[in-house]
Short mmCIF file of all heavy atoms in Angstrom, two decimals:
data_model
loop_
_atom_site.label_atom_id
_atom_site.label_comp_id
_atom_site.label_asym_id
_atom_site.label_seq_id
_atom_site.Cartn_x
_atom_site.Cartn_y
_atom_site.Cartn_z
N PRO Q 1 -2.42 -3.86 -28.02
CA PRO Q 1 -3.32 -3.52 -26.90
C PRO Q 1 -2.52 -2.45 -26.05
O PRO Q 1 -1.28 -2.40 -26.07
CB PRO Q 1 -3.48 -4.82 -26.09
CG PRO Q 1 -2.23 -5.69 -26.60
CD PRO Q 1 -1.91 -5.23 -27.93
N PRO Q 2 -3.26 -1.61 -25.36
CA PRO Q 2 -2.69 -0.54 -24.41
C PRO Q 2 -1.84 -1.23 -23.33
O PRO Q 2 -2.20 -2.40 -22.93
CB PRO Q 2 -3.87 0.18 -23.93
CG PRO Q 2 -4.96 -0.64 -23.96
CD PRO Q 2 -4.69 -1.55 -25.18
N PRO Q 3 -0.77 -0.60 -22.85
CA PRO Q 3 -0.06 -1.19 -21.72
C PRO Q 3 -0.93 -1.36 -20.47
O PRO Q 3 -1.81 -0.49 -20.18
CB PRO Q 3 1.13 -0.13 -21.54
CG PRO Q 3 0.61 1.06 -22.15
CD PRO Q 3 -0.32 0.72 -23.25
N ALA Q 4 -0.67 -2.34 -19.74
CA ALA Q 4 -1.40 -2.64 -18.50
C ALA Q 4 -1.17 -1.50 -17.45
O ALA Q 4 -0.09 -0.96 -17.42
CB ALA Q 4 -0.99 -3.96 -17.89
N GLU Q 5 -2.08 -1.09 -16.76
CA GLU Q 5 -1.90 -0.14 -15.58
C GLU Q 5 -1.20 -0.82 -14.43
O GLU Q 5 -1.48 -1.90 -14.10
CB GLU Q 5 -3.32 0.37 -15.13
CG GLU Q 5 -4.02 1.26 -15.99
CD GLU Q 5 -5.41 1.70 -15.42
OE1 GLU Q 5 -6.14 0.85 -15.02
OE2 GLU Q 5 -5.54 2.95 -15.42
N SER Q 6 -0.39 0.02 -13.86
CA SER Q 6 0.17 -0.44 -12.58
C SER Q 6 -0.84 -0.27 -11.49
O SER Q 6 -1.82 0.42 -11.69
CB SER Q 6 1.44 0.43 -12.28
OG SER Q 6 1.14 1.69 -11.86
N GLY Q 7 -0.54 -0.87 -10.26
CA GLY Q 7 -1.39 -0.68 -9.15
C GLY Q 7 -1.54 0.76 -8.77
O GLY Q 7 -2.68 1.36 -8.48
N ALA Q 8 -0.42 1.48 -8.88
CA ALA Q 8 -0.45 2.91 -8.46
C ALA Q 8 -1.35 3.78 -9.45
O ALA Q 8 -2.11 4.54 -9.02
CB ALA Q 8 0.98 3.45 -8.56
N GLU Q 9 -1.36 3.36 -10.73
CA GLU Q 9 -2.10 4.09 -11.71
C GLU Q 9 -3.63 3.67 -11.59
O GLU Q 9 -4.47 4.56 -11.56
CB GLU Q 9 -1.63 3.72 -13.14
CG GLU Q 9 -0.28 4.30 -13.45
CD GLU Q 9 0.24 3.72 -14.73
OE1 GLU Q 9 -0.06 2.59 -15.15
OE2 GLU Q 9 1.18 4.39 -15.28
N ARG Q 10 -3.86 2.44 -11.37
CA ARG Q 10 -5.25 1.87 -11.30
C ARG Q 10 -5.95 2.46 -10.10
O ARG Q 10 -7.11 2.86 -10.20
CB ARG Q 10 -5.17 0.35 -11.22
CG ARG Q 10 -6.62 -0.14 -11.13
CD ARG Q 10 -6.66 -1.72 -11.21
NE ARG Q 10 -6.09 -2.21 -12.35
CZ ARG Q 10 -5.94 -3.48 -12.62
NH1 ARG Q 10 -6.42 -4.41 -11.81
NH2 ARG Q 10 -5.44 -3.89 -13.78
N PHE Q 11 -5.33 2.70 -9.05
CA PHE Q 11 -5.91 3.13 -7.78
C PHE Q 11 -5.56 4.53 -7.43
O PHE Q 11 -6.00 5.01 -6.38
CB PHE Q 11 -5.52 2.12 -6.62
CG PHE Q 11 -6.03 0.76 -6.85
CD1 PHE Q 11 -5.15 -0.27 -6.98
CD2 PHE Q 11 -7.36 0.44 -6.95
CE1 PHE Q 11 -5.53 -1.60 -7.22
CE2 PHE Q 11 -7.85 -0.84 -7.11
CZ PHE Q 11 -6.94 -1.81 -7.37
N VAL Q 12 -4.80 5.16 -8.29
CA VAL Q 12 -4.28 6.57 -8.02
C VAL Q 12 -3.67 6.74 -6.67
O VAL Q 12 -4.02 7.50 -5.89
CB VAL Q 12 -5.51 7.63 -8.11
CG1 VAL Q 12 -4.91 9.00 -8.38
CG2 VAL Q 12 -6.40 7.29 -9.38
N LEU Q 13 -2.64 5.92 -6.46
CA LEU Q 13 -1.94 5.90 -5.21
C LEU Q 13 -0.63 6.82 -5.30
O LEU Q 13 -0.02 6.95 -6.40
CB LEU Q 13 -1.43 4.48 -4.73
CG LEU Q 13 -2.51 3.49 -4.61
CD1 LEU Q 13 -1.86 2.12 -4.19
CD2 LEU Q 13 -3.52 3.96 -3.51
N THR Q 14 -0.30 7.46 -4.20
CA THR Q 14 0.94 8.19 -4.23
C THR Q 14 2.14 7.33 -4.15
O THR Q 14 2.03 6.17 -3.84
CB THR Q 14 0.97 9.33 -3.01
OG1 THR Q 14 1.04 8.43 -1.81
CG2 THR Q 14 -0.28 10.18 -2.91
N ALA Q 15 3.37 7.84 -4.35
CA ALA Q 15 4.59 7.13 -4.28
C ALA Q 15 4.72 6.53 -2.88
O ALA Q 15 5.08 5.35 -2.69
CB ALA Q 15 5.74 7.90 -4.67
N ARG Q 16 4.34 7.33 -1.85
CA ARG Q 16 4.47 6.93 -0.38
C ARG Q 16 3.53 5.82 -0.18
O ARG Q 16 3.89 4.78 0.48
CB ARG Q 16 4.25 8.08 0.49
CG ARG Q 16 4.34 7.75 2.01
CD ARG Q 16 5.74 7.18 2.42
NE ARG Q 16 6.54 8.14 2.79
CZ ARG Q 16 7.86 8.08 3.03
NH1 ARG Q 16 8.45 6.92 2.83
NH2 ARG Q 16 8.61 9.10 3.37
N GLU Q 17 2.29 5.96 -0.69
CA GLU Q 17 1.30 4.88 -0.45
C GLU Q 17 1.78 3.53 -1.11
O GLU Q 17 1.60 2.48 -0.48
CB GLU Q 17 -0.03 5.21 -0.93
CG GLU Q 17 -0.70 6.44 -0.21
CD GLU Q 17 -1.87 6.99 -0.83
OE1 GLU Q 17 -2.10 6.92 -2.10
OE2 GLU Q 17 -2.66 7.68 -0.15
N VAL Q 18 2.31 3.68 -2.26
CA VAL Q 18 2.85 2.46 -2.85
C VAL Q 18 3.97 1.81 -2.16
O VAL Q 18 3.96 0.53 -1.92
CB VAL Q 18 3.43 2.70 -4.41
CG1 VAL Q 18 4.07 1.54 -4.95
CG2 VAL Q 18 2.22 3.16 -5.17
N GLU Q 19 4.84 2.56 -1.56
CA GLU Q 19 5.91 2.05 -0.67
C GLU Q 19 5.33 1.32 0.42
O GLU Q 19 5.83 0.26 0.79
CB GLU Q 19 6.80 3.24 -0.06
CG GLU Q 19 7.78 3.89 -1.00
CD GLU Q 19 8.51 4.90 -0.38
OE1 GLU Q 19 7.86 5.95 0.13
OE2 GLU Q 19 9.81 4.81 -0.19
N ILE Q 20 4.33 1.84 1.05
CA ILE Q 20 3.73 1.21 2.26
C ILE Q 20 2.93 -0.05 1.88
O ILE Q 20 3.05 -1.12 2.52
CB ILE Q 20 2.78 2.33 2.96
CG1 ILE Q 20 3.60 3.36 3.66
CG2 ILE Q 20 1.81 1.58 3.94
CD1 ILE Q 20 2.83 4.48 4.16
N VAL Q 21 2.25 0.06 0.76
CA VAL Q 21 1.53 -1.23 0.32
C VAL Q 21 2.58 -2.33 0.08
O VAL Q 21 2.29 -3.45 0.45
CB VAL Q 21 0.72 -0.93 -0.98
CG1 VAL Q 21 0.24 -2.16 -1.66
CG2 VAL Q 21 -0.44 -0.01 -0.65
N LEU Q 22 3.67 -2.05 -0.56
CA LEU Q 22 4.58 -3.05 -0.83
C LEU Q 22 5.17 -3.67 0.39
O LEU Q 22 5.37 -4.88 0.52
CB LEU Q 22 5.78 -2.48 -1.76
CG LEU Q 22 5.45 -2.13 -3.15
CD1 LEU Q 22 6.51 -1.36 -3.85
CD2 LEU Q 22 4.98 -3.34 -3.94
N LEU Q 23 5.46 -2.84 1.34
CA LEU Q 23 5.99 -3.30 2.58
C LEU Q 23 4.98 -4.12 3.45
O LEU Q 23 5.27 -5.20 3.94
CB LEU Q 23 6.56 -2.16 3.50
CG LEU Q 23 7.88 -1.56 2.84
CD1 LEU Q 23 8.13 -0.28 3.69
CD2 LEU Q 23 8.92 -2.44 2.88
N VAL Q 24 3.79 -3.69 3.42
CA VAL Q 24 2.67 -4.38 4.12
C VAL Q 24 2.44 -5.74 3.41
O VAL Q 24 2.19 -6.78 4.06
CB VAL Q 24 1.34 -3.59 4.16
CG1 VAL Q 24 0.15 -4.32 4.49
CG2 VAL Q 24 1.55 -2.42 5.17
N SER Q 25 2.46 -5.68 2.11
CA SER Q 25 2.25 -6.93 1.33
C SER Q 25 3.44 -8.01 1.56
O SER Q 25 3.16 -9.18 1.44
CB SER Q 25 2.18 -6.58 -0.24
OG SER Q 25 0.97 -5.80 -0.44
N ASP Q 26 4.54 -7.47 1.97
CA ASP Q 26 5.67 -8.33 2.32
C ASP Q 26 5.56 -8.87 3.74
O ASP Q 26 6.44 -9.62 4.17
CB ASP Q 26 7.05 -7.62 2.13
CG ASP Q 26 7.40 -7.51 0.66
OD1 ASP Q 26 6.84 -8.36 -0.09
OD2 ASP Q 26 8.36 -6.75 0.34
N GLY Q 27 4.46 -8.47 4.49
CA GLY Q 27 4.30 -8.86 5.79
C GLY Q 27 4.83 -7.98 6.92
O GLY Q 27 4.69 -8.50 8.16
N LEU Q 28 5.29 -6.87 6.66
CA LEU Q 28 5.72 -5.98 7.76
C LEU Q 28 4.63 -5.37 8.55
O LEU Q 28 3.49 -5.14 7.94
CB LEU Q 28 6.57 -4.81 7.10
CG LEU Q 28 8.11 -5.10 6.96
CD1 LEU Q 28 8.33 -6.11 5.85
CD2 LEU Q 28 8.77 -3.65 6.70
N THR Q 29 4.84 -5.22 9.84
CA THR Q 29 3.92 -4.68 10.68
C THR Q 29 3.89 -3.19 10.45
O THR Q 29 4.89 -2.57 9.88
CB THR Q 29 4.19 -4.94 12.21
OG1 THR Q 29 5.38 -4.30 12.50
CG2 THR Q 29 4.31 -6.46 12.44
N THR Q 30 2.78 -2.48 11.07
CA THR Q 30 2.76 -1.03 10.93
C THR Q 30 3.95 -0.41 11.53
O THR Q 30 4.67 0.50 11.07
CB THR Q 30 1.44 -0.61 11.67
OG1 THR Q 30 0.33 -1.06 10.99
CG2 THR Q 30 1.39 0.97 11.58
N ARG Q 31 4.44 -0.93 12.68
CA ARG Q 31 5.60 -0.43 13.40
C ARG Q 31 6.85 -0.61 12.57
O ARG Q 31 7.69 0.30 12.50
CB ARG Q 31 5.75 -1.19 14.77
CG ARG Q 31 6.97 -0.68 15.62
CD ARG Q 31 7.01 -1.41 16.87
NE ARG Q 31 8.12 -0.98 17.67
CZ ARG Q 31 9.38 -1.41 17.41
NH1 ARG Q 31 9.68 -2.26 16.48
NH2 ARG Q 31 10.36 -0.94 18.20
N ASP Q 32 6.94 -1.80 11.91
CA ASP Q 32 8.20 -2.02 11.06
C ASP Q 32 8.13 -1.16 9.90
O ASP Q 32 9.30 -0.73 9.44
CB ASP Q 32 8.20 -3.50 10.75
CG ASP Q 32 8.56 -4.39 11.91
OD1 ASP Q 32 9.15 -3.85 12.87
OD2 ASP Q 32 8.26 -5.66 11.83
N VAL Q 33 6.96 -0.89 9.22
CA VAL Q 33 6.95 0.03 8.14
C VAL Q 33 7.31 1.37 8.49
O VAL Q 33 8.15 2.06 7.80
CB VAL Q 33 5.50 -0.03 7.54
CG1 VAL Q 33 5.36 1.06 6.51
CG2 VAL Q 33 5.07 -1.30 6.93
N GLY Q 34 6.90 1.76 9.66
CA GLY Q 34 7.20 3.04 10.15
C GLY Q 34 8.73 3.16 10.35
O GLY Q 34 9.32 4.21 10.08
N LEU Q 35 9.30 2.17 11.07
CA LEU Q 35 10.76 2.23 11.24
C LEU Q 35 11.55 2.35 9.91
O LEU Q 35 12.56 2.97 9.75
CB LEU Q 35 11.24 1.01 12.06
CG LEU Q 35 10.79 1.04 13.52
CD1 LEU Q 35 11.10 -0.28 14.12
CD2 LEU Q 35 11.53 2.16 14.31
N ARG Q 36 11.17 1.46 8.98
CA ARG Q 36 11.75 1.37 7.57
C ARG Q 36 11.75 2.76 6.93
O ARG Q 36 12.71 3.15 6.31
CB ARG Q 36 11.18 0.33 6.80
CG ARG Q 36 11.68 0.13 5.48
CD ARG Q 36 12.89 -0.82 5.25
NE ARG Q 36 12.79 -2.07 5.92
CZ ARG Q 36 12.40 -3.26 5.29
NH1 ARG Q 36 12.17 -3.18 4.01
NH2 ARG Q 36 12.36 -4.35 5.92
N LEU Q 37 10.55 3.48 6.95
CA LEU Q 37 10.31 4.71 6.25
C LEU Q 37 10.50 5.91 7.09
O LEU Q 37 10.18 7.09 6.58
CB LEU Q 37 8.93 4.61 5.59
CG LEU Q 37 8.65 3.47 4.66
CD1 LEU Q 37 7.25 3.58 4.11
CD2 LEU Q 37 9.66 3.47 3.53
N HIS Q 38 10.91 5.75 8.35
CA HIS Q 38 11.08 6.96 9.32
C HIS Q 38 9.80 7.72 9.45
O HIS Q 38 9.73 8.86 9.41
CB HIS Q 38 12.10 7.89 8.78
CG HIS Q 38 13.48 7.14 8.47
ND1 HIS Q 38 14.22 6.63 9.44
CD2 HIS Q 38 14.10 6.76 7.35
CE1 HIS Q 38 15.26 5.95 8.89
NE2 HIS Q 38 15.24 6.07 7.65
N LEU Q 39 8.70 6.97 9.70
CA LEU Q 39 7.39 7.51 9.99
C LEU Q 39 6.85 6.98 11.24
O LEU Q 39 7.23 5.90 11.69
CB LEU Q 39 6.38 7.06 8.79
CG LEU Q 39 6.72 7.43 7.40
CD1 LEU Q 39 5.72 6.78 6.39
CD2 LEU Q 39 6.62 8.94 7.22
N SER Q 40 5.97 7.75 11.92
CA SER Q 40 5.39 7.23 13.08
C SER Q 40 4.37 6.12 12.72
O SER Q 40 3.77 6.17 11.61
CB SER Q 40 4.65 8.36 13.95
OG SER Q 40 3.47 8.68 13.24
N PRO Q 41 4.01 5.24 13.63
CA PRO Q 41 3.01 4.22 13.35
C PRO Q 41 1.72 4.83 12.95
O PRO Q 41 0.99 4.34 12.07
CB PRO Q 41 2.91 3.37 14.57
CG PRO Q 41 4.30 3.51 15.27
CD PRO Q 41 4.82 4.96 14.86
N LYS Q 42 1.43 5.93 13.63
CA LYS Q 42 0.05 6.62 13.38
C LYS Q 42 0.02 7.21 11.97
O LYS Q 42 -0.87 7.03 11.26
CB LYS Q 42 -0.01 7.87 14.42
CG LYS Q 42 -1.43 8.62 14.17
CD LYS Q 42 -2.57 7.75 14.35
CE LYS Q 42 -3.91 8.52 14.28
NZ LYS Q 42 -5.01 7.69 14.27
N THR Q 43 1.19 7.61 11.37
CA THR Q 43 1.31 8.23 10.02
C THR Q 43 1.11 7.02 9.11
O THR Q 43 0.36 7.18 8.12
CB THR Q 43 2.64 8.93 9.82
OG1 THR Q 43 2.67 9.97 10.66
CG2 THR Q 43 2.72 9.36 8.37
N VAL Q 44 1.64 5.83 9.45
CA VAL Q 44 1.48 4.71 8.59
C VAL Q 44 0.04 4.35 8.56
O VAL Q 44 -0.58 4.03 7.41
CB VAL Q 44 2.41 3.50 9.02
CG1 VAL Q 44 2.08 2.19 8.27
CG2 VAL Q 44 3.87 3.87 8.95
N GLU Q 45 -0.64 4.33 9.66
CA GLU Q 45 -2.06 3.90 9.69
C GLU Q 45 -2.92 4.92 8.93
O GLU Q 45 -3.83 4.54 8.25
CB GLU Q 45 -2.53 3.96 11.11
CG GLU Q 45 -2.04 2.78 11.92
CD GLU Q 45 -2.60 1.42 11.51
OE1 GLU Q 45 -3.65 1.39 10.83
OE2 GLU Q 45 -2.01 0.45 11.82
N VAL Q 46 -2.59 6.20 8.83
CA VAL Q 46 -3.34 7.12 8.13
C VAL Q 46 -3.18 6.89 6.66
O VAL Q 46 -4.10 6.78 5.90
CB VAL Q 46 -2.86 8.62 8.43
CG1 VAL Q 46 -3.41 9.57 7.40
CG2 VAL Q 46 -3.31 9.02 9.82
N HIS Q 47 -1.87 6.54 6.16
CA HIS Q 47 -1.63 6.16 4.79
C HIS Q 47 -2.50 4.96 4.45
O HIS Q 47 -3.23 4.78 3.43
CB HIS Q 47 -0.21 5.90 4.54
CG HIS Q 47 0.60 7.28 4.39
ND1 HIS Q 47 0.41 8.14 3.40
CD2 HIS Q 47 1.64 7.83 5.09
CE1 HIS Q 47 1.26 9.10 3.55
NE2 HIS Q 47 1.96 8.96 4.52
N LEU Q 48 -2.44 3.95 5.31
CA LEU Q 48 -3.13 2.67 5.00
C LEU Q 48 -4.71 2.85 4.95
O LEU Q 48 -5.27 2.37 4.05
CB LEU Q 48 -2.79 1.65 6.19
CG LEU Q 48 -1.54 0.89 6.00
CD1 LEU Q 48 -1.23 0.00 7.18
CD2 LEU Q 48 -1.51 0.03 4.71
N SER Q 49 -5.19 3.78 5.80
CA SER Q 49 -6.61 4.04 5.79
C SER Q 49 -6.99 4.65 4.40
O SER Q 49 -8.01 4.21 3.82
CB SER Q 49 -6.93 4.96 6.89
OG SER Q 49 -8.32 5.34 6.87
N ARG Q 50 -6.23 5.48 3.94
CA ARG Q 50 -6.43 6.14 2.51
C ARG Q 50 -6.32 5.11 1.54
O ARG Q 50 -7.14 5.05 0.55
CB ARG Q 50 -5.50 7.31 2.33
CG ARG Q 50 -5.86 8.51 3.25
CD ARG Q 50 -4.86 9.65 2.91
NE ARG Q 50 -5.11 10.71 3.85
CZ ARG Q 50 -4.15 11.46 4.34
NH1 ARG Q 50 -2.93 11.37 4.10
NH2 ARG Q 50 -4.46 12.50 5.23
N VAL Q 51 -5.33 4.25 1.56
CA VAL Q 51 -5.15 3.19 0.65
C VAL Q 51 -6.37 2.16 0.62
O VAL Q 51 -6.84 1.88 -0.47
CB VAL Q 51 -3.83 2.47 0.83
CG1 VAL Q 51 -3.72 1.16 0.03
CG2 VAL Q 51 -2.61 3.28 0.62
N TYR Q 52 -6.75 1.79 1.77
CA TYR Q 52 -7.93 0.97 1.87
C TYR Q 52 -9.05 1.55 1.24
O TYR Q 52 -9.85 0.88 0.48
CB TYR Q 52 -8.33 0.62 3.38
CG TYR Q 52 -7.31 -0.16 4.17
CD1 TYR Q 52 -7.41 -0.04 5.58
CD2 TYR Q 52 -6.31 -1.00 3.63
CE1 TYR Q 52 -6.49 -0.67 6.37
CE2 TYR Q 52 -5.37 -1.59 4.40
CZ TYR Q 52 -5.40 -1.47 5.79
OH TYR Q 52 -4.54 -2.17 6.52
N THR Q 53 -9.36 2.82 1.29
CA THR Q 53 -10.54 3.46 0.71
C THR Q 53 -10.30 3.54 -0.78
O THR Q 53 -11.23 3.19 -1.53
CB THR Q 53 -10.60 4.96 1.23
OG1 THR Q 53 -10.91 4.85 2.67
CG2 THR Q 53 -11.69 5.64 0.61
N LYS Q 54 -9.17 3.88 -1.26
CA LYS Q 54 -8.83 4.01 -2.67
C LYS Q 54 -9.00 2.58 -3.35
O LYS Q 54 -9.58 2.49 -4.49
CB LYS Q 54 -7.45 4.55 -3.02
CG LYS Q 54 -7.40 6.03 -2.61
CD LYS Q 54 -5.95 6.55 -2.89
CE LYS Q 54 -5.78 8.00 -2.63
NZ LYS Q 54 -4.41 8.48 -2.96
N VAL Q 55 -8.52 1.56 -2.71
CA VAL Q 55 -8.51 0.18 -3.40
C VAL Q 55 -9.81 -0.59 -3.14
O VAL Q 55 -10.12 -1.49 -3.84
CB VAL Q 55 -7.26 -0.59 -2.74
CG1 VAL Q 55 -7.33 -2.01 -3.21
CG2 VAL Q 55 -6.02 0.12 -3.13
N GLY Q 56 -10.53 -0.10 -2.09
CA GLY Q 56 -11.85 -0.71 -1.83
C GLY Q 56 -11.78 -1.98 -0.98
O GLY Q 56 -12.56 -2.90 -1.15
N VAL Q 57 -10.84 -1.95 0.08
CA VAL Q 57 -10.73 -3.12 0.90
C VAL Q 57 -10.82 -2.63 2.35
O VAL Q 57 -10.80 -1.43 2.57
CB VAL Q 57 -9.37 -3.83 0.70
CG1 VAL Q 57 -9.28 -4.39 -0.75
CG2 VAL Q 57 -8.18 -2.89 0.92
N SER Q 58 -10.84 -3.49 3.24
CA SER Q 58 -10.98 -3.12 4.66
C SER Q 58 -9.82 -3.51 5.55
O SER Q 58 -9.85 -3.43 6.73
CB SER Q 58 -12.35 -3.61 5.27
OG SER Q 58 -12.40 -5.10 5.16
N GLY Q 59 -8.79 -4.17 4.98
CA GLY Q 59 -7.70 -4.65 5.80
C GLY Q 59 -6.52 -5.05 5.03
O GLY Q 59 -6.48 -5.06 3.73
N ARG Q 60 -5.48 -5.28 5.77
CA ARG Q 60 -4.12 -5.66 5.12
C ARG Q 60 -4.16 -6.92 4.24
O ARG Q 60 -3.55 -7.03 3.26
CB ARG Q 60 -3.10 -5.90 6.16
CG ARG Q 60 -3.05 -4.90 7.30
CD ARG Q 60 -2.13 -5.44 8.46
NE ARG Q 60 -0.80 -5.09 8.34
CZ ARG Q 60 -0.22 -3.95 8.61
NH1 ARG Q 60 -0.99 -3.05 9.10
NH2 ARG Q 60 1.00 -3.76 8.45
N THR Q 61 -4.84 -7.98 4.76
CA THR Q 61 -4.91 -9.16 4.00
C THR Q 61 -5.58 -8.97 2.68
O THR Q 61 -5.02 -9.45 1.56
CB THR Q 61 -5.62 -10.34 4.84
OG1 THR Q 61 -4.99 -10.43 6.09
CG2 THR Q 61 -5.57 -11.63 4.12
N ALA Q 62 -6.64 -8.27 2.58
CA ALA Q 62 -7.42 -8.06 1.43
C ALA Q 62 -6.54 -7.13 0.55
O ALA Q 62 -6.45 -7.35 -0.80
CB ALA Q 62 -8.73 -7.37 1.70
N LEU Q 63 -5.86 -6.12 1.01
CA LEU Q 63 -5.02 -5.25 0.28
C LEU Q 63 -3.90 -6.15 -0.37
O LEU Q 63 -3.67 -5.89 -1.59
CB LEU Q 63 -4.47 -4.19 1.22
CG LEU Q 63 -3.43 -3.30 0.57
CD1 LEU Q 63 -4.09 -2.45 -0.55
CD2 LEU Q 63 -2.82 -2.38 1.57
N ALA Q 64 -3.22 -7.07 0.36
CA ALA Q 64 -2.18 -7.77 -0.20
C ALA Q 64 -2.66 -8.63 -1.31
O ALA Q 64 -2.00 -8.83 -2.36
CB ALA Q 64 -1.47 -8.68 0.88
N GLY Q 65 -3.89 -9.17 -1.11
CA GLY Q 65 -4.45 -10.00 -2.19
C GLY Q 65 -4.80 -9.27 -3.44
O GLY Q 65 -4.44 -9.71 -4.57
N VAL Q 66 -5.35 -8.13 -3.30
CA VAL Q 66 -5.62 -7.24 -4.51
C VAL Q 66 -4.31 -6.83 -5.12
O VAL Q 66 -4.16 -6.78 -6.39
CB VAL Q 66 -6.44 -6.03 -4.09
CG1 VAL Q 66 -6.45 -4.94 -5.24
CG2 VAL Q 66 -7.90 -6.44 -3.71
N TRP Q 67 -3.47 -6.41 -4.37
CA TRP Q 67 -2.08 -5.99 -4.96
C TRP Q 67 -1.34 -7.07 -5.65
O TRP Q 67 -0.75 -6.92 -6.70
CB TRP Q 67 -1.19 -5.43 -3.76
CG TRP Q 67 -0.03 -4.51 -4.27
CD1 TRP Q 67 1.16 -4.84 -4.57
CD2 TRP Q 67 -0.36 -3.20 -4.82
NE1 TRP Q 67 1.85 -3.70 -5.08
CE2 TRP Q 67 0.93 -2.73 -5.21
CE3 TRP Q 67 -1.46 -2.27 -4.84
CZ2 TRP Q 67 1.08 -1.45 -5.80
CZ3 TRP Q 67 -1.25 -1.03 -5.34
CH2 TRP Q 67 -0.02 -0.65 -5.77
N ALA Q 68 -1.46 -8.29 -5.12
CA ALA Q 68 -0.81 -9.52 -5.81
C ALA Q 68 -1.46 -9.67 -7.09
O ALA Q 68 -0.83 -9.97 -8.17
CB ALA Q 68 -0.95 -10.62 -4.95
N THR Q 69 -2.74 -9.50 -7.22
CA THR Q 69 -3.53 -9.72 -8.48
C THR Q 69 -3.13 -8.61 -9.51
O THR Q 69 -2.97 -8.95 -10.66
CB THR Q 69 -5.09 -9.67 -8.15
OG1 THR Q 69 -5.46 -10.68 -7.23
CG2 THR Q 69 -5.89 -9.84 -9.43
N VAL Q 70 -3.04 -7.42 -9.05
CA VAL Q 70 -2.74 -6.38 -9.95
C VAL Q 70 -1.27 -6.53 -10.51
O VAL Q 70 -0.98 -6.39 -11.70
CB VAL Q 70 -2.81 -4.95 -9.22
CG1 VAL Q 70 -2.21 -3.90 -10.00
CG2 VAL Q 70 -4.22 -4.61 -8.97
N ALA Q 71 -0.47 -7.02 -9.59
CA ALA Q 71 0.92 -7.28 -10.02
C ALA Q 71 1.08 -8.31 -11.10
O ALA Q 71 2.01 -8.26 -11.94
CB ALA Q 71 1.80 -7.58 -8.84
N ARG Q 72 0.17 -9.29 -11.06
CA ARG Q 72 0.11 -10.34 -12.10
C ARG Q 72 -0.43 -9.92 -13.41
O ARG Q 72 -0.02 -10.42 -14.51
CB ARG Q 72 -0.63 -11.55 -11.60
CG ARG Q 72 0.01 -12.34 -10.57
CD ARG Q 72 -0.78 -13.80 -10.51
NE ARG Q 72 -2.20 -13.53 -10.15
CZ ARG Q 72 -2.71 -13.70 -9.05
NH1 ARG Q 72 -2.04 -14.08 -8.04
NH2 ARG Q 72 -4.04 -13.48 -8.94
N ASP Q 73 -1.33 -8.95 -13.34
CA ASP Q 73 -1.93 -8.41 -14.71
C ASP Q 73 -0.98 -7.83 -15.55
O ASP Q 73 -0.02 -7.22 -15.26
CB ASP Q 73 -3.06 -7.34 -14.38
CG ASP Q 73 -4.19 -8.15 -13.69
OD1 ASP Q 73 -4.26 -9.33 -13.61
OD2 ASP Q 73 -5.13 -7.43 -13.14
#
C-alpha cells in the first residue's frame, strides 16, 4: 500500500502552520505559541485562521482532535 500521508501533506500546511498546530495541540495559548516562535499573537491567529480553513474546523479543540486522528493513521 502507498505510504500514509502526514497531516501536513493531507491538508497542504506550511512548515510554520505545522509548528503552530503541534504547539496548539499540546495546549499552548496563542500568546505562548507566539513567545515560543517569536511571533506576535496576531500573526499566530492569522496562521490559525488559515489552518482552520484548510483543515475544515472552527476552533482549537476540533483542530487538536483532527490532528490527533491524522497522527494515528
Side-chain angles (χ1 to χ4, degrees):
E5 288 181 306
S6 70
E9 293 167 337
R10 182 177 297 181
F11 299 114
V12 194
L13 301 181
T14 66
R16 179 61 90 189
E17 288 168 345
V18 171
E19 284 180 299
I20 290 171
V21 169
L22 292 172
L23 293 173
V24 165
S25 294
D26 283 344
L28 271 68
T29 64
T30 298
R31 181 178 180 280
D32 290 337
V33 171
L35 290 171
R36 179 86 53 99
L37 300 178
H38 307 289
L39 301 171
S40 76
K42 181 66 178 167
T43 300
V44 174
E45 287 293 340
V46 168
H47 282 296
L48 280 173
S49 177
R50 290 184 184 139
V51 169
Y52 296 158
T53 299
K54 290 178 179 183
V55 177
V57 297
S58 59
R60 316 166 86 82
T61 304
L63 176 62
V66 168
W67 202 257
T69 300
V70 169
R72 280 195 309 257
D73 290 349

